[in-house]
């Protein structure tokens, strides 16, 4: 009897030890799951912050580049006007000031335009008053540099405290010459530094995030936010050594995580060079901002883990008191765990089983709803005998997959269901073997991914098109145009490019509202698409700026296409909310020449031709 009691005690002790060990293992497993989930969540947030900062820096860089390029193109147009006046005997100050005012009114973010003579005295431009004291800029670095370097193009100045505006500014500066080539003075497009904080404020970088614009030497120009005022950040170079090293190794763009020497806050920083200009914009998203919710998750997960541990400890104590009931629960748990091992890792809409001949032995009703069939009809049949129209390439690949008798996951195939709808499914399966290692079939899951695939296609299309007009957007156009430009150069084929602008579009917006302006843009897009060739690419660059790429077209052919479209637009009546209107366009055409080694050169010539059309009275086409 004593021996029997001793055996029972040993059994109970062994069971209790196993139970304690099991509780420990389960808790360790849960802790690992919690850790893995938190780690994955943290990595996802870090990656999302990196992607967000990259996207923000790219967008801001592009916006700044676009603004500077527009100013530079306008300065070129003013330079051409001055050159023509000087060739005809001298500058007409009144006429030049009118041109300056008209240019200034068109450009967003521009604080003013000033024109100085060869001695550095500001003679013309905005805010230049005849009886005011003369302003001398000859001591400024950009004046001395352009005076000594006739070959130089546009130059960006360091931040300057304006003698006229009394505000911190930077300048886009170009030199103009006398007819004999001697230095005659400078044309300056002045950007008030306050323009950049206004631009940056549209981007949400969080409570501790920062956006910084730096010059070519990485000296700070503007910092947003900057509670100390716009001028306090100018010229600062207090950034980590790793930032300078990253820019030196990858000067165009890059991403790193560092603590700022300015405020000692750790941020994920993505920088991007502003086109060809000696400027760098970087966006820093603070770790404290994008990990704030994650830290709340850590607290919650820790609390839940502690509660789980307490719960399992109490549960194990109760199970220990009633070991008979516990044994039944352990058996149920073992059975549930086997099912979980087969299906838990696969998010599914239905499950299925096949025998060694690939005939279905079980399939849940979810597939029947999707395929429009009775699942009982599928039992005893292979997938290719079920009477649904499965794509041939999908079925061939699926047969090969089953023949390997190996586990597979996320195999995608398409078919036409009984209702005539195309469906795409993702199937995962596990090879099943008996206790002697013989293959007995498959079991697995499937899910409907039709909607996900549709959304992926829609997102891909949205990334390439302009939302308002449905035309090709700027980014996709530049990709297509670069490819066509390289092909035309390689094959020595014709290529034409037309820059298109709606005449007096600002008047339409101001008079009828932006909704009416949107209708006009959409109407223009429709008319163009009706009148151009199928191989032509018509894109909206932004605002009322459009561009047409004509592969294989000569200058005469391009003129014919644009003139036909211009006349069609002039005859079109666009019904707005309050009245019907007609619009006209101005266009500039440039054909690929020997000097157009870059797409930018071709686009710049087309823009020059466009400005010639504008100056010539609008509603016309000019080719260069």
């Amino acid at each position: 009897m004593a021996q029997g009691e001793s055996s029972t005690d040993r059994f109970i002790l062994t069971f209790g030890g196993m139970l304690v060990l099991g509780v420990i293992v389960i808790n360790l497993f849960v802790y690992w799951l919690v850790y893995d989930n938190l780690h994955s969540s943290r990595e996802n947030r870090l990656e999302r912050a990196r992607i967000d900062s990259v996207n923000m820096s790219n967008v801001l860089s592009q916006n700044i580049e676009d603004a500077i390029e527009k100013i530079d193109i306008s300065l070129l147009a003013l330079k051409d006007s001055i050159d023509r006046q000087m060739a005809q005997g001298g500058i007409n100050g009144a006429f030049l000031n009118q041109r300056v005012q008209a240019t200034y009114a068109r450009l967003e973010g521009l604080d003013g335009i000033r024109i100085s003579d060869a001695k550095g005295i500001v003679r013309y431009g905005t805010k230049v008053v005849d009886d005011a004291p003369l302003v001398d800029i000859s001591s400024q670095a950009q004046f001395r540099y352009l005076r000594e370097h006739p070959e130089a193009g546009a130059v960006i100045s360091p931040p300057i405290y304006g003698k006229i505006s009394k505000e911190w500014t930077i300048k886009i500066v170009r030199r103009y010459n006398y007819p004999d080539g001697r230095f005659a003075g400078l044309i300056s497009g002045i950007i008030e530094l306050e323009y950049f904080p206004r631009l940056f404020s549209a981007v949400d970088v969080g409570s501790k995030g920062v956006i910084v614009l730096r010059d070519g030497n990485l000296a700070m120009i503007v910092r947003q936010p900057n509670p100390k005022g716009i001028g306090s950040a100018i010229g600062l170079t207090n950034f980590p050594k790793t930032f300078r090293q990253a820019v030196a190794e990858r000067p165009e763009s890059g991403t790193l995580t560092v603590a700022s020497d300015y405020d000692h806050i750790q941020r994920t920083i993505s920088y991007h060079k502003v086109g060809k200009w000696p400027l760098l914009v970087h966006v820093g998203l603070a770790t404290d901002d994008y990990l704030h919710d994650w830290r709340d998750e850590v607290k919650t997960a820790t609390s839940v883990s502690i509660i789980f541990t307490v719960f399992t400890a109490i549960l194990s104590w109760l199970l220990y008191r009633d070991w008979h009931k516990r044994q039944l629960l352990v058996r149920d748990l073992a059975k549930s765990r086997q099912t979980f091992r087969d299906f838990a890792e696969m998010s599914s809409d239905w499950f299925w089983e096949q025998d060694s001949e690939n005939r279905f032995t079980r399939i849940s009703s979810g597939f029947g709803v999707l395929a429009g069939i009775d699942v009982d009809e599928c039992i005893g049949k292979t997938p290719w005998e079920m009477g649904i129209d499965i794509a041939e390439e999908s079925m061939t690949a699926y047969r090969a997959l089953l023949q390997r008798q190996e586990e597979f996951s996320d195999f995608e195939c398409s078919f036409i269901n009984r209702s005539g709808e195309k469906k795409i499914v993702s199937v995962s399966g596990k090879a099943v073997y008996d206790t002697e290692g013989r293959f007995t079939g498959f079991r697995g899951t499937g899910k409907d991914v039709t909607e996900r695939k549709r959304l992926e296609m829609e997102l891909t299309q949205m990334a390439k098109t302009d939302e308002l007009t449905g035309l090709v957007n700027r980014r996709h156009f530049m990709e297509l145009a670069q490819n066509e430009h390289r092909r035309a150069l390689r094959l020595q084929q014709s290529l034409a490019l037309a820059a298109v602008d709606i005449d007096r579009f600002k008047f339409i917006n101001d008079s009828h509202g932006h909704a009416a302006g949107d209708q006009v843009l959409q109407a223009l897009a429709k008319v163009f698409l009706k009148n151009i060739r199928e191989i032509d690419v018509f894109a909206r660059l932004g605002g009322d700026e459009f561009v047409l790429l004509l592969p294989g077209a000569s200058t005469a052919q391009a003129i014919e296409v644009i003139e036909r479209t211009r006349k069609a637009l002039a005859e079109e009546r666009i019904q707005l909310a309050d009245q019907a209107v007609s619009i006209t366009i101005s266009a500039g055409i440039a054909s690929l020449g020997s000097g157009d080694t870059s797409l930018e050169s071709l686009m710049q010539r087309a823009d020059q031709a466009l400005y010639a059309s504008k100056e010539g009275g609008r509603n016309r086409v000019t080719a260069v």
Side-chain angles (χ1 to χ4, degrees):
M1 188 69 177
Q3 185 176 359
E5 290 177 356
S6 178
S7 298
T8 302
D9 291 341
R10 284 198 300 270
F11 174 78
I12 294 174
L13 289 173
T14 302
F15 180 83
M18 292 176 62
L19 181 60
V20 170
L21 180 61
V23 170
I24 292 173
V25 170
I26 290 173
N27 276 272
L28 289 176
F29 179 69
V30 170
Y31 295 156
W32 179 84
L33 286 177
V34 171
Y35 167 80
D36 184 67
N37 181 65
L38 291 174
H39 178 72
S40 298
S41 177
R42 187 178 190 276
E43 291 300 313
N44 289 339
R45 291 174 187 274
L46 291 173
E47 179 63 12
R48 188 160 65 245
R50 188 193 70 80
I51 293 172
D52 288 345
S53 63
V54 168
N55 290 339
M56 290 176 185
S57 64
N58 287 350
V59 169
L60 290 174
S61 172
Q62 186 63 57
N63 287 343
I64 294 172
E65 181 185 2
D66 291 346
I68 294 176
E69 289 290 349
K70 288 181 180 179
I71 293 172
D72 186 39
I73 291 172
S74 297
L75 296 184
L76 279 172
L78 287 174
K79 176 182 176 299
D80 291 342
S81 178
I82 293 174
D83 289 343
R84 288 194 298 271
Q85 290 187 43
M86 296 185 72
Q88 296 172 1
I91 294 177
N92 183 334
F95 176 77
L96 181 57
N97 276 329
Q98 289 179 354
R99 286 295 309 280
V100 167
Q101 289 293 341
T103 302
Y104 168 71
R106 288 200 310 269
L107 297 176
E108 180 183 359
L110 194 62
D111 184 57
I113 299 174
R114 315 275 195 273
I115 302 172
S116 66
D117 61 20
K119 295 181 180 180
I121 305 302
V122 177
R123 298 294 184 182
Y124 313 101
T126 58
K127 302 180 184 178
V128 177
V129 182
D130 293 337
D131 57 353
L134 297 177
V135 175
D136 187 351
I137 64 168
S138 61
S139 62
Q140 294 180 0
Q142 68 274 11
F143 181 91
R144 298 193 302 271
Y145 177 83
L146 288 173
R147 182 179 59 193
E148 303 301 327
H149 295 81
E151 77 287 354
V155 172
I156 294 183
S157 75
I160 299 170
Y161 189 77
K163 295 181 179 181
I164 295 177
S165 67
K166 306 302 181 183
E167 299 286 348
W168 282 101
T169 62
I170 59 172
K171 298 180 178 180
I172 317 305
V173 187
R174 278 191 172 273
R175 162 183 173 145
Y176 68 95
N177 302 321
Y178 288 107
D180 60 5
R182 288 181 298 114
F183 176 68
L186 297 184
I187 306 173
S188 303
I190 302 168
I191 303 177
E192 185 180 356
L193 288 192
E194 288 289 352
Y195 165 76
F196 296 104
R198 290 195 299 270
L199 176 65
F200 296 164
S201 63
V203 178
D204 183 11
V205 293
S207 62
K208 297 182 180 179
V210 66
I211 304 174
V212 177
L213 180 66
R214 298 183 182 275
D215 62 19
N217 297 318
L218 300 185
M220 196 179 294
I221 297 175
V222 175
R223 184 182 190 274
Q224 173 71 14
N226 188 7
K228 297 179 182 179
I230 194 73
S232 62
I234 293 173
L236 294 181
T237 57
N238 51 342
F239 48 78
K241 183 186 295 184
T242 51
F243 181 77
R244 181 178 290 277
Q245 291 172 345
V247 175
E249 293 171 3
R250 298 184 61 189
E252 295 298 322
S253 63
T255 302
L256 66 161
T257 300
V258 292
S260 170
D261 287 346
Y262 185 86
D263 55 12
H264 308 293
I265 294 176
Q266 186 182 58
R267 297 181 176 92
T268 294
I269 294 176
S270 291
Y271 62 87
H272 201 282
K273 189 174 182 296
V274 180
K276 65 182 179 181
W277 306 99
L279 297 173
L280 192 80
V281 61
H282 73 71
V283 176
L285 301 181
T287 304
D288 287 343
D289 285 341
Y290 61 76
L291 289 185
H292 179 270
D293 291 341
W294 177 82
R295 286 166 179 155
D296 289 340
E297 289 179 12
V298 172
K299 295 176 183 178
T300 301
T302 302
S303 300
V304 171
S305 299
I306 293 172
I307 293 172
F308 180 81
T309 300
V310 172
F311 173 79
T312 53
I314 295 173
L315 180 62
S316 65
W317 178 74
L318 293 173
L319 289 174
Y320 186 77
R321 289 177 57 189
D322 192 359
W323 62 274
H324 290 289
K325 185 177 180 179
R326 182 186 60 222
Q327 293 232 8
L328 294 175
L329 292 174
V330 168
R331 286 198 296 268
D332 291 341
L333 178 61
K335 184 178 179 180
S336 298
R337 183 175 296 173
Q338 181 61 44
T339 304
F340 175 78
R341 286 173 180 171
D342 293 336
F343 299 101
E345 293 183 359
M346 293 174 283
S347 177
S348 61
D349 292 328
W350 72 87
F351 62 90
W352 53 270
E353 292 180 346
Q354 290 176 339
D355 62 18
S356 59
E357 300 298 324
N358 299 323
R359 294 185 296 263
F360 285 108
T361 60
R362 185 180 181 186
I363 186 166
S364 64
S365 60
F367 179 78
V369 174
L370 180 68
I373 61 176
D374 184 354
V375 293
D376 291 337
E377 299 175 6
C378 302
I379 303 302
K381 297 180 180 179
T382 64
W384 42 91
E385 294 173 345
M386 291 191 302
I388 58 176
D389 186 10
I390 303 176
E392 183 176 353
E393 62 272 18
S394 295
M395 186 52 62
T396 301
Y398 190 48
R399 282 176 182 265
L401 198 65
L402 295 176
Q403 288 174 358
R404 291 200 290 269
Q405 298 181 0
E406 297 174 353
E407 183 175 346
F408 60 93
S409 62
D410 298 324
F411 172 77
E412 293 183 357
C413 64
S414 60
F415 65 91
I416 306 298
N417 67 13
R418 293 284 177 86
S419 300
E421 301 171 318
K422 181 179 180 181
K423 296 293 182 179
I424 303 174
V425 297
S426 175
V427 182
S428 298
K430 178 181 179 180
V432 180
Y433 297 85
D434 62 17
T435 56
E436 297 180 5
R438 291 174 298 196
F439 173 73
T440 60
F442 284 92
R443 70 166 59 99
T445 61
K447 55 188 174 183
D448 181 9
V449 296
T450 308
E451 185 63 15
R452 190 191 76 195
K453 290 294 182 182
R454 183 188 66 78
L455 290 174
E456 289 175 357
M457 293 178 63
E458 288 182 359
L459 289 173
T460 300
Q461 184 64 21
M462 287 171 62
K464 295 180 179 181
T465 57
D466 174 61
E467 182 178 3
L468 177 63
T469 62
L471 299 174
V472 173
N473 63 17
R474 172 188 287 272
R475 186 179 298 277
H476 190 42
F477 173 79
M478 295 303 292
E479 294 174 357
L480 297 175
Q482 290 284 8
N483 291 336
E484 286 296 335
H485 179 262
R486 285 193 290 266
R487 187 181 66 81
L489 290 178
R490 184 176 68 254
L491 301 178
Q492 297 184 349
Q493 294 181 345
S494 299
L495 178 67
L497 186 144
V500 179
D501 204 341
I502 301 175
D503 295 331
R504 298 179 177 87
F505 181 71
K506 185 176 184 299
F507 173 78
I508 295 174
N509 267 337
D510 293 344
S511 301
H512 303 281
H514 289 284
D518 290 348
Q519 286 183 255
V520 169
L521 295 174
Q522 292 167 342
L524 178 137
K526 291 179 181 178
V527 173
F528 257 88
L529 292 176
K530 289 179 182 178
N531 285 275
I532 63 177
R533 304 172 304 169
E534 188 173 330
I535 63 172
D536 297 336
V537 180
F538 187 51
R540 182 190 180 200
L541 300 184
D544 64 331
E545 298 176 12
F546 296 82
V547 62
L548 177 63
L549 186 71
L550 301 102
S554 64
T555 301
Q557 290 170 324
I559 292 174
E560 180 183 356
V561 171
I562 298 296
E563 279 289 354
R564 180 173 66 244
T565 310
R566 184 186 65 82
K567 292 176 181 178
L569 275 169
E571 295 171 0
E572 181 84 5
R573 296 292 290 174
I574 303 170
Q575 183 62 49
L576 304 181
D578 52 354
Q579 68 178 90
V581 299
S582 297
I583 60 171
T584 61
I585 59 169
S586 296
I589 299 174
S591 296
L592 185 65
S594 58
D596 295 318
T597 57
S598 68
L599 176 64
E600 288 73 16
S601 173
L602 187 64
M603 293 183 70
Q604 186 177 33
R605 291 200 299 113
D607 281 336
Q608 291 172 352
L610 171 61
Y611 276 100
S613 293
K614 291 284 189 180
E615 292 178 2
R618 298 185 176 86
N619 193 21
R620 64 189 59 215
V621 179
T622 302
V624 295

